[in-house]
Amino acid sequence: GLSWELEAHPTLPKGKTVAVVVLDGWGEATPDQYNCVHVAETPTMDSLKNGHPDTWRLVRAHGHAVGLPTEDDMGNSEVGHNALGAGRIFAQGAKLVDLALESGKIYDDEGFNYIKDCFAENTLHLIGLLSDGGVHSRLDQLQLLLKGSSERGAKRIRVHILTDGRDVLDGSSIGFVETLESTLSTLREKGIDAQIASGGGRMYVTMDRYENDWEVVKRGWDAQVLGEAPYQFKNAVEAVKNLREETKCSDQYLPPFVIVDDNGKAVGPIVDGDAVVTFNFRADRMTMIAKSLEYKDFDKFDRVRVPKIKYCGMLQYDGELLLPSHYLVSPPEIDRTSGEYLVHNGVKTFACSETVKFGHVTFFWNGNRSGYFDSSMEEYVEIPSDVGITFNVKPKMKALEIAEKARDIILSGKFHQVRVNLPNSDMVGHTGDIEATVVACKTSDKGVKMILDAVEQVGGIYLVTADHGNAEDMVKRNKAGNPALDKSGNIQVLTSHTLQPVPIAIGGPGLHSGVRFKRDVPNGGLANVAATVMNLHGLVAPSDYEETLIEVVGN
Ligand code: 3PG
Ligand code: CO
């Protein structure tokens, strides 16, 4: 059987306190006014970098380095934390769905055959994020699924869209809805009754995460299942245009709407006998809707009417809860994560973030598993996030509370690894509010300082890194790297992540003085961090892990 025991590191001792800090959405880019990491006062992060080539470097956080289909795919928290925690690069959901669609295997597997039974008499509903962002879903995958399903018997199809503007430019939703409408009209020409049935902005409708605010999921349920929403339109393009104008909401925050027929009746509520697919591959923002669609016992909101449906996820979203039980594509099998190894090797582990990022340093870190490996060795603390606001309003978020918690735990000496995610640069960066993002970065830096001070006091070690870029570039750029202006000559604010590398820094009084970053891993990425952390705990990583970033020189 598998041995969990790790070899002792030849030089580095066991038993040190190691703080692992992940700055969410903190990349390295050319300094200019749209680089909030640069604009912000960040004395702590600056001091880790300046003049310390042996203990500060950049690592890759996008594309192939984190298991995404292409080098044009920006990084994201799911794949970033998966790589950080698992120490290996796994083909991720985006890629696995591409392969299953390309080979047609998706149509032979259990999930599709399960829902196919409904096609003759009932409706197929597809619910998910409508964009080409590639973080949670992709429009081209939806289009292939629509084609494939209709060729395999689906006669009545309803799409429930969630508008993006977060992984893609705000305002781009209109174009994505137009593209989808033309795909659906092609299907209609072939005699298939295919329409958009409902919609809403992803941050306000359906795509909450980590149980931050069930109202978000309820709004989606009402529109998608019950066919009820505050706004009704005959056509989805008109809906998005109109709501952007009328409510002044950005794509991310559009209120829910339903599409109605000439008699004012919703065209696509979900009813008994229907098939439902949530077509996002990424888990965090699908888990809650999956529970509401799948669980018999459910008390998070009043579902009013619970249709007997056949429900299938694009992927299985939670490997521990086995949720949902039916899925079109098998998720990456992220096994033997560093977290699991460390508890087997006596490393007591503490992890903390606030709600909106809590699952990143636990669930994603542990290979998309909720829960502890060994509750006697681990403690995970969630600090409640503010609910019902956009984080540009409170850009400090709970970063200092998270840092205080980490500080207290470090000083308590009860844990060997103290792991946190500081959310600000990402969550505020996603709002597109540049001034607020500067405050966010400054706050994260203060949080880092607080943690590093505690490390100093206990003679520990720190490793500070990030999961992907965001706040370091807040503007859409042309090939030359200058802001790309829109038709009216304005800059276009970038709410999304980036392709930039992220910093990694190590240090602290407990770090052996001969430790430095190796010079022969120029393409090191996030997946190299796990072996590095294992070394800092005095252990050698399993041989199939991506190699460590550090070496010990001199004596
Ligand atoms: C989100 O879900 O908020 C964005 O699509 C991606 O952000 P994250 O990968 O940093 O969570
Ligand atoms: Co993000």
Side-chain angles (χ1 to χ4, degrees):
L2 166 68
S3 165
W4 286 106
E5 198 182 323
L6 297 175
E7 220 178 285
H9 192 279
T11 325
L12 302 177
K14 290 183 189 172
K16 296 276 180 193
T17 302
V18 181
V20 177
V21 180
V22 180
L23 298 171
D24 211 294
W26 182 294
E28 177 83 1
T30 319
D32 73 6
Q33 59 180 312
Y34 302 109
N35 178 337
C36 295
V37 169
H38 163 72
V39 174
E41 262 172 63
T42 55
T44 310
M45 290 302 288
D46 294 347
S47 73
L48 298 185
K49 172 183 177 180
N50 295 331
H52 301 289
D54 284 345
T55 54
W56 185 96
R57 63 165 287 172
L58 295 173
V59 284
R60 298 165 74 88
H62 80 285
H64 297 140
V66 286
L68 291 172
T70 75
E71 284 300 283
D72 294 331
D73 288 304
M74 61 199 176
N76 70 69
S77 290
E78 175 193 43
V79 299
H81 285 78
N82 279 171
L84 286 165
R88 286 149 295 154
I89 301 166
F90 290 86
Q92 287 287 353
K95 177 83 190 164
L96 298 175
V97 173
D98 283 346
L99 293 173
L101 283 165
E102 230 170 78
S103 65
K105 190 169 179 298
I106 196 168
Y107 304 113
D108 300 333
D109 283 350
E110 192 274 339
F112 190 80
N113 280 291
Y114 170 69
I115 56 166
K116 209 168 76 176
D117 288 349
C118 306
F119 289 179
E121 308 287 335
N122 297 92
T123 305
L124 166 64
H125 298 265
L126 299 165
I127 306 174
L129 182 66
L130 187 72
S131 80
D132 64 2
V135 173
H136 294 269
S137 68
R138 280 213 329 264
L139 172 60
D140 61 326
Q141 293 179 346
L142 169 64
Q143 290 171 305
L144 287 173
L145 193 58
L146 282 165
K147 182 165 180 282
S149 303
S150 62
E151 285 167 0
R152 288 166 182 79
K155 294 190 184 68
R156 192 164 183 276
I157 302 176
R158 293 293 178 266
V159 188
H160 302 264
I161 62 168
L162 301 163
T163 52
D164 192 347
R166 186 173 176 91
D167 299 326
V168 290
L169 292 182
D170 180 48
S172 60
S173 278
I174 298 165
F176 292 123
V177 179
E178 284 168 350
T179 306
L180 176 61
E181 282 293 7
S182 101
T183 305
L184 295 173
S185 90
T186 312
L187 292 178
R188 287 196 291 272
E189 282 161 23
K190 293 183 182 146
I192 291 151
D193 171 11
Q195 289 187 62
I196 295 175
S198 76
R202 54 173 288 177
M203 295 302 283
Y204 192 64
V205 178
T206 299
M207 282 174 60
D208 188 43
R209 65 179 166 207
Y210 309 139
E211 312 212 356
N212 190 47
D213 183 3
W214 276 101
E215 281 299 307
V216 175
V217 186
K218 177 181 161 31
R219 280 179 208 115
W221 180 275
D222 290 350
Q224 295 142 4
V225 178
L226 306 180
E228 290 167 10
Y231 294 92
Q232 284 97 31
F233 292 91
K234 294 239 169 93
N235 161 298
V237 175
E238 187 198 320
V240 173
K241 282 188 179 161
N242 212 291
L243 289 174
R244 281 181 59 86
E245 283 274 304
E246 189 184 322
T247 66
K248 298 280 172 246
C249 289
S250 58
D251 288 353
Q252 304 184 51
Y253 293 99
L254 289 187
F257 62 86
V258 291
I259 302 300
V260 293
D261 62 18
D262 291 337
N263 304 315
K265 211 170 142 245
V267 300
I270 300 174
V271 299
D272 284 355
D274 286 352
V276 178
V277 173
T278 46
F279 63 82
N280 288 14
F281 41 74
R282 173 163 152 174
D284 56 348
R285 295 190 185 277
M286 285 289 106
T287 302
M288 294 165 75
I289 184 181
K291 286 180 178 169
S292 65
L293 289 168
E294 177 141 324
Y295 285 174
K296 241 187 158 151
D297 293 319
F298 179 87
D299 58 5
K300 303 303 183 184
F301 60 84
D302 180 5
R303 290 182 290 184
V304 182
R305 179 172 63 76
V306 184
K308 291 184 189 61
I309 54 169
K310 291 201 167 176
Y311 166 51
C312 204
M314 181 66 105
L315 263 68
Q316 185 167 60
Y317 299 126
D318 190 317
E320 191 69 30
L321 301 177
L322 304 179
L323 178 80
S325 44
H326 299 274
Y327 44 93
L328 297 180
V329 178
S330 295
E333 272 179 55
I334 306 179
D335 59 349
R336 299 186 299 108
T337 59
S338 60
E340 192 164 11
Y341 270 109
L342 290 177
V343 299
H344 279 285
N345 285 272
V347 177
K348 291 200 167 170
T349 302
F350 178 89
C352 175
S353 190
E354 64 172 277
T355 311
V356 294
K357 292 286 181 186
F358 176 66
H360 288 29
V361 275
T362 55
F363 175 81
F364 284 148
W365 194 277
N366 293 334
N368 305 342
R369 272 180 201 78
S370 45
Y372 293 114
F373 294 113
D374 177 350
S375 59
S376 72
M377 295 289 292
E378 295 165 274
E379 187 179 340
Y380 300 163
V381 169
E382 174 185 343
I383 302 200
S385 287
D386 288 318
V387 176
I389 58 155
T390 57
F391 288 111
N392 56 329
V393 179
K394 285 191 177 175
K396 295 183 180 169
M397 298 182 66
K398 295 288 187 271
L400 299 179
E401 288 85 341
I402 296 164
E404 277 164 14
K405 187 78 204 171
R407 175 197 64 197
D408 294 348
I409 293 291
I410 290 167
L411 297 179
S412 79
K414 286 191 189 140
F415 291 90
H416 301 106
Q417 179 170 122
V418 179
R419 181 170 80 229
V420 298
N421 174 300
L422 299 180
N424 309 53
S425 34
D426 184 65
M427 294 301 286
V428 185
H430 279 303
T431 67
D433 183 331
I434 292 176
E435 235 170 275
T437 306
V438 171
V439 177
C441 293
K442 183 175 168 174
T443 310
S444 297
D445 190 77
K446 281 191 181 156
V448 174
K449 165 111 172 55
M450 203 182 286
I451 295 168
L452 264 46
D453 286 348
V455 166
E456 188 72 31
Q457 282 190 53
V458 301
I461 301 171
Y462 61 77
L463 181 148
V464 182
T465 189
D467 60 341
H468 55 74
N470 182 340
E472 81 290 352
D473 197 3
M474 297 292 292
V475 74
K476 186 180 169 181
R477 293 179 191 272
N478 59 26
K479 284 214 179 81
N482 301 316
L485 304 181
D486 69 12
K487 283 178 222 141
S488 336
N490 298 316
I491 63 146
Q492 301 170 78
V493 172
L494 197 70
T495 53
S496 72
H497 300 168
T498 69
L499 302 169
Q500 294 301 124
V502 299
I504 178 169
I506 50 171
L511 187 67
H512 185 293
S513 61
V515 169
R516 67 169 193 196
F517 282 128
K518 295 166 72 168
R519 315 233 159 124
D520 59 353
V521 201
N523 292 323
L526 293 177
N528 298 83
V529 175
T532 311
V533 172
M534 285 174 164
N535 291 170
L536 300 178
H537 286 293
L539 299 162
V540 176
S543 57
D544 64 339
Y545 268 43
E546 294 293 322
E547 68 178 305
T548 179
L549 295 170
I550 58 174
E551 62 187 356
V552 189
V553 294
N555 37 32

